[in-house]
Amino acid sequence: MSDSKDFIIENGVLKEYVGSGGDVVIPDGVKEIGARAFSKCHNLMSVTIPESVESIGEYAFSECNNLSRVTIPESVKTVGFWAFYNCESLTDVVIKGTDTFIDNYAFAYCFNLKNAALPDSAALGTGVFAKCPQMADADGFVIIHGILQHYAGPGGDIQIPDEVVQIGYGAFDTCRDLRSVIIPDSVKSIESNAFDSCEN
């Protein structure tokens, strides 16, 4: 559990967490989790976010290596870019807000993320689930809301599914065994670095 002395809070903004980690409960009344507030808190195991929180700042929980599960309440309208970047133990994410905006790369490089539950109406920025190979389907595709977030398949000659409308940031980068790709007519845009370092 956490103590009020573990938090530096100014005008409803949680500026910094200074506790020892473990299972942390953010105090009621906090409206914003500020930029980098928990960044690199390697001893953070779990965090309970109250319904008073409306936004999670950039890099807020980045590189919290032992954080395994996160539930983001309906009150949160914005999850900042790189907010949970490289949380290497993160396996499950639940986002409850129907109009939440999840900014660029919010969960990128969470290599062990397996399950992400979010409403169809939630809006996604670029590369939100880039480099999350554990989320891949049987063919190696990580597709969220029609965006091909990541390809974790064996390469070779592949065909992108018709449900894809966008090939996301870095979706195939460094896929050195990729030889050919059939892109369906459903795809309307290809983000930067999508095929970077596909040597073959």
Side-chain angles (χ1 to χ4, degrees):
M1 296 296 291
S2 40
D3 186 280
S4 60
K5 295 178 182 178
D6 294 340
F7 307 96
I8 297 174
I9 300 170
E10 297 177 7
N11 299 318
V13 179
L14 198 169
K15 296 282 192 177
E16 186 178 359
Y17 173 72
V18 293
S20 59
D23 301 311
V24 172
V25 178
I26 293 173
D28 286 331
V30 170
K31 292 186 176 180
E32 177 183 341
I33 299 172
R36 302 181 189 272
F38 289 85
S39 182
K40 297 184 180 179
C41 181
H42 301 308
N43 294 321
L44 182 66
M45 305 296 289
S46 71
V47 61
T48 300
I49 301 173
E51 290 284 350
S52 59
V53 173
E54 298 174 359
S55 66
I56 297 173
E58 60 191 55
Y59 294 94
F61 294 92
S62 64
E63 299 183 88
C64 290
N65 293 337
N66 287 300
L67 182 63
S68 61
R69 288 179 171 80
V70 172
T71 297
I72 297 173
E74 191 171 356
S75 59
V76 173
K77 305 304 179 189
T78 305
V79 179
F81 67 88
W82 300 109
F84 293 87
Y85 160 74
N86 198 23
C87 289
E88 62 184 31
S89 296
L90 189 62
T91 58
D92 295 270
V93 171
V94 176
I95 298 170
K96 294 186 173 182
T98 55
D99 59 350
T100 300
F101 173 61
I102 307 166
D103 211 340
N104 301 348
Y105 320 112
F107 296 94
Y109 295 85
C110 291
F111 294 108
N112 290 299
L113 182 60
K114 296 178 180 178
N115 304 298
L118 61 157
D120 290 340
S121 56
L124 303 183
T126 296
V128 170
F129 295 101
K131 300 298 183 184
C132 295
Q134 298 299 321
M135 293 176 64
D137 62 20
D139 295 316
F141 297 107
V142 178
I143 302 169
I144 307 289
H145 292 182
I147 303 171
L148 176 53
Q149 301 277 341
H150 183 74
Y151 176 70
D157 304 307
I158 70 163
Q159 181 164 349
I160 294 173
D162 289 338
E163 67 184 281
V164 173
V165 297
Q166 181 185 94
I167 299 173
Y169 170 87
F172 291 92
D173 75 341
T174 66
C175 184
R176 294 183 174 87
D177 294 324
L178 185 66
R179 295 190 177 278
S180 70
V181 180
I182 297 174
I183 300 174
D185 291 340
S186 59
V187 172
K188 305 302 180 189
S189 65
I190 300 174
E191 294 281 315
S192 64
N193 291 38
F195 294 94
D196 187 43
S197 299
C198 292
E199 296 173 353
N200 290 304

